């Protein structure tokens, strides 16, 4: 179930601007050079892109911000970092697959906890989308709006996610699970070169935070592409008007 704050934020995303403020925005963007019909088209483009992004955010947070939201989804599951992949692969070969899974699960739990905090940040980004940018995004590729969205909000998301991920990975013992895994593998002579005598995991919290953001925008981009390409996903008259073929 979505948190109340999430629901409120999502409602704020999709709430239309007042008639007066919208008129002022459009007048400034168009420099009074276009007709009222053209203004309506600009208005529809902006509202359509915002609605599509809002739906993507809602789906991403409800899908990922729950137990196993990341772990059971192969498209976004957070795996052992690449620099540690040889160690984890060897661990599985030596019969320590359960320890690898436990390590990965702990990382994915951190991402799940952080994702719901994206609602207010992404809500602000949606509301800040200009009419001019929205029009160009309507004409863009399958993930044009999501890509623009990520560019404008990724730093804020990282700063908001990192403390939550750090707290959760501490509670689930990510670092301890990593050390337990490397100790188990390190007891085998074949692992000596792979471990290089170092049982540190680099910046696991930063890694999990970045992967959580990757997963979030993966789902939003998938939803955007679906809305652009599938009439069934165009669930409002506005989406059909803006993205319908």
């Amino acid at each position: 179930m979505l948190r109340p704050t999430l629901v409120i934020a999502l409602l704020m995303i999709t709430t239309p601007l007042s008639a007066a403020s919208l008129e002022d925005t459009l007048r400034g963007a168009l420099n009074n050079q276009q007709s009222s019909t053209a203004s309506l088209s600009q208005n529809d483009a902006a509202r359509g892109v915002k609605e599509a992004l809002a739906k993507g955010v809602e789906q991403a947070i409800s899908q990922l911000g729950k137990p196993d939201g990341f772990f059971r989804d192969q498209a976004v599951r957070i795996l052992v970092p690449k620099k540690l992949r040889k160690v984890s692969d060897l661990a599985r070969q030596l019969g320590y697959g359960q320890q690898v899974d436990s390590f990965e699960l702990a990382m994915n739990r951190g991402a799940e906890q952080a994702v719901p905090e994206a609602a207010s940040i992404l809500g602000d980004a949606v509301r800040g989308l200009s009419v001019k940018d929205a029009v160009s995004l309507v004409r863009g590729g399958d993930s044009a709006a999501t890509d623009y969205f990520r560019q404008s909000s990724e730093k804020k998301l990282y700063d908001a996610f990192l403390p939550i991920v750090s707290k959760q990975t501490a509670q689930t013992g990510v670092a301890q699970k990593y050390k337990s895994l490397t100790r188990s593998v390190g007891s085998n002579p074949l692992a000596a070169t792979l471990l290089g005598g170092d049982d540190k995991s680099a910046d696991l919290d930063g890694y999990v935070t970045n992967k959580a953001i990757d997963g979030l925008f993966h789902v939003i981009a998938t939803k955007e592409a679906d809305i652009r390409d599938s009439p069934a996903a165009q669930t409002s008259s506005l989406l059909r008007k803006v993205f319908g073929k």
Side-chain angles (χ1 to χ4, degrees), residues 78 102-114 161-178 201 203-209:
I78 301 174
S102 178
F103 173 44
E104 288 187 346
L105 179 60
M107 290 191 295
N108 282 269
R109 288 287 183 258
E112 292 163 8
Q113 292 295 315
F161 279 17
L162 184 60
I164 299 169
V165 168
S166 298
K167 180 179 179 181
Q168 183 64 20
T169 54
Q171 290 176 352
T172 54
V174 168
Q176 289 78 6
K177 285 179 170 59
Y178 170 75
S201 56
D203 181 13
L204 283 175
D205 290 343
Y207 170 76
V208 173
T209 299

Side-chain angles (χ1 to χ4, degrees), residues 32-222:
N32 294 321
Q33 295 298 310
Q34 298 187 16
S35 68
S36 58
T37 301
S39 296
L40 179 61
S41 176
Q42 301 280 319
N43 176 19
D44 287 343
R47 290 173 56 231
V49 168
K50 290 182 179 184
E51 183 174 335
L53 286 172
K55 287 184 177 297
V57 172
E58 182 177 13
Q59 179 168 327
I61 294 175
S62 63
Q63 179 178 320
L64 300 177
K66 63 182 181 182
D68 292 333
F70 279 85
F71 192 67
R72 298 297 178 191
D73 185 342
Q74 293 304 313
V76 297
R77 177 171 172 165
I78 301 174
L79 303 174
V80 172
K82 283 186 178 179
K83 65 185 298 181
L84 307 176
R85 205 68 55 82
K86 288 183 179 179
V87 176
S88 65
D89 290 346
L90 181 58
R92 291 190 186 281
Q93 293 172 23
L94 297 175
Y96 297 108
Q98 186 173 350
Q99 285 91 326
V100 177
D101 289 341
S102 178
F103 173 44
E104 288 187 346
L105 179 60
M107 290 191 295
N108 282 269
R109 288 287 183 258
E112 292 163 8
Q113 292 295 315
V115 159
E117 298 301 315
S120 61
I121 294 170
L122 297 182
D124 288 343
V126 170
R127 286 191 295 274
L129 186 65
S130 72
V131 174
K132 180 179 178 181
D133 286 332
V135 171
S136 67
L137 295 177
V138 168
R139 300 167 181 160
D142 280 353
S143 63
T146 303
D147 295 342
Y148 178 92
F149 200 30
R150 180 166 189 163
Q151 201 173 36
S152 65
S153 58
E154 186 166 15
K155 176 64 167 59
K156 289 181 180 178
L157 285 173
Y158 185 91
D159 292 343
F161 279 17
L162 184 60
I164 299 169
V165 168
S166 298
K167 180 179 179 181
Q168 183 64 20
T169 54
Q171 290 176 352
T172 54
V174 168
Q176 289 78 6
K177 285 179 170 59
Y178 170 75
K179 289 178 181 179
S180 172
L181 172 64
T182 53
R183 278 197 300 270
S184 299
V185 178
S187 63
N188 187 293
L190 294 174
T193 10
L194 292 177
L195 292 175
D198 183 6
D199 70 345
K200 294 182 179 178
S201 56
D203 181 13
L204 283 175
D205 290 343
Y207 170 76
V208 173
T209 299
N210 282 318
K211 286 298 183 182
I213 293 171
D214 287 346
L216 181 73
F217 283 108
H218 169 80
V219 176
I220 296 173
T222 300

